[in-house]
Amino acid sequence: MISYMESNEWLPSEEEREVMEAVWMQVKGACEKLKEETSAQDAYIRKMLHEMGDRYYS
C-alpha cells in the first residue's frame, strides 16, 4: 500500500474542503460581477483564471 507521503494525490480534509468551497464562492461571485460590469466573456474569464493559477501555483 502506498502511504500518503509517497502518493502525489492530495486528499483534502473536511476543513480544507470547506475553505475551498468558501474561496470558490468568492471567485464565482467576482467572475459574475466582472461579467456584469464589463464586456468580459466566459472565455476571457476562463483564460484569466488559468493564468492566475499558473502564475501563483506553478
Side-chain angles (χ1 to χ4, degrees):
M1 180 174 196
I2 297 174
S3 73
Y4 175 75
M5 295 300 287
E6 294 173 348
S7 173
N8 289 332
E9 187 174 333
W10 174 57
L11 300 173
S13 67
E14 185 62 32
E15 183 179 355
E16 290 168 326
R17 288 176 207 235
E18 290 174 8
V19 169
M20 289 187 298
E21 181 68 25
V23 169
W24 170 244
M25 294 306 290
Q26 291 177 344
V27 169
K28 184 178 176 185
C31 290
E32 289 172 358
K33 186 174 181 179
L34 180 66
K35 283 176 63 174
E36 289 172 4
E37 296 180 1
T38 69
S39 60
Q41 300 295 312
D42 288 346
Y44 171 79
I45 294 171
R46 189 177 305 112
K47 181 181 178 199
M48 179 184 66
L49 291 172
H50 184 76
E51 288 176 0
M52 290 170 58
D54 286 349
R55 181 176 185 179
Y56 293 107
Y57 300 106
S58 292

